Amino acid sequence: MESMNLQSSAIQAWSRVCAFAWKHQEKEKKEGVLTDLRKDPKGTIEEIAKGQNGKYKADSETEAQASTIIKLSKNQTERYSGYLPIPNPFGGLAELDPQKVEELLLGGLTGAFKFDEEAKLWADALHQAWNNKELLENIRRDPLGNLPHADELKNSEYGIFPLPALPSVVYQNLENLDIEQLYEFLVDDNVRHIGGIMPPVT
């Protein structure tokens, strides 16, 4: 029961932060929470957790959910802990070579996230993490400092937290939702992988 609650907490926390990032992005200038989150997830989450005293002037609910991510990153007891919540290598993922992992990324393993845009780099990084528990935990605690290929990925279009822009093509009405409505949409079962990076294991 506790594990399910923690998973739910992580999904809710990340869904709220993603909603906040989408609603606080200057599209024309390509500046804002989304851009910062892609470049430095940990630093951005820590700033969001400062609420009205931080750079982003986050509302109290978003502040609380960012604080949940910080708490989960320190106590990695469930598969979506951390600032880059890569899951444990379920289903034999650790046994795959990087080329096979790349094929999975290109095939949509990571749902809405854009790991496929730099699939070769991500495949190698994930392969290393899934075969080294200490590295995996360190990546979750500090992606920028521990993720293999972090410098290259940081400078790529989607960075080291590859959340795309709000998908307005598939869901035409999302841009018109306020943050509460968008958050409720994200925690819905239809898109739970957005709150957990990869699709949850059933």
Side-chain angles (χ1 to χ4, degrees):
M1 181 65 70
E2 182 180 356
S3 176
M4 290 178 65
N5 289 337
L6 282 169
Q7 179 184 345
S8 177
S9 294
I11 290 169
Q12 290 174 10
W14 277 111
S15 294
R16 183 70 185 203
V17 166
C18 289
F20 184 77
W22 276 336
K23 300 304 288 187
H24 293 82
Q25 180 72 8
E26 296 183 34
K27 295 180 182 179
E28 299 299 325
K29 298 180 180 178
K30 293 187 177 180
E31 295 177 353
V33 183
L34 178 59
T35 297
D36 293 347
L37 189 64
R38 288 171 175 172
K39 292 181 178 179
D40 182 8
K42 181 179 180 180
T44 304
I45 294 296
E46 290 176 338
E47 197 65 31
I48 292 172
K50 295 177 183 177
Q52 292 295 307
N53 296 320
K55 174 181 178 181
Y56 308 112
K57 307 296 182 187
D59 59 274
S60 59
E61 179 62 23
T62 305
E63 174 187 350
Q65 296 291 12
S67 296
T68 295
I69 292 172
I70 293 171
K71 179 180 178 181
L72 290 172
S73 73
K74 295 176 180 176
N75 181 25
Q76 297 189 27
T77 56
E78 60 90 36
R79 62 177 171 263
Y80 294 139
S81 302
Y83 298 100
L84 183 58
I86 300 168
N88 292 329
F90 58 87
L93 287 174
E95 299 169 9
L96 301 178
D97 61 37
Q99 184 176 350
K100 290 295 185 183
V101 177
E102 182 180 354
E103 290 174 9
L104 287 175
L105 297 180
L106 290 170
L109 173 70
T110 55
F113 282 76
K114 304 296 288 184
F115 288 83
D116 56 315
E117 290 297 314
E118 296 291 343
K120 189 174 292 295
L121 293 177
W122 277 113
D124 184 63
L126 292 171
H127 177 74
Q128 290 186 51
W130 284 332
N131 283 278
N132 184 331
K133 183 178 179 181
E134 183 178 359
L135 175 61
L136 176 58
E137 291 178 352
N138 287 336
I139 290 170
R140 289 168 170 168
R141 289 193 176 100
D142 182 8
L144 193 57
N146 293 286
L147 180 70
H149 312 297
D151 288 341
E152 291 174 85
L153 289 168
K154 178 183 176 182
N155 293 318
S156 67
E157 181 177 359
Y158 293 101
I160 63 175
F161 188 89
L163 178 67
L166 186 64
S168 58
V169 175
V170 178
Y171 304 105
Q172 295 287 341
N173 64 331
L174 290 191
E175 290 186 344
N176 298 324
L177 301 182
D178 63 28
I179 189 169
E180 298 297 336
Q181 294 169 321
L182 187 54
Y183 167 66
E184 290 299 324
F185 175 83
L186 290 177
V187 296
D188 184 81
D189 283 346
N190 293 323
V191 286
R192 287 180 68 193
H193 59 276
I194 293 180
I197 305 303
M198 297 185 183
V201 184
T202 57

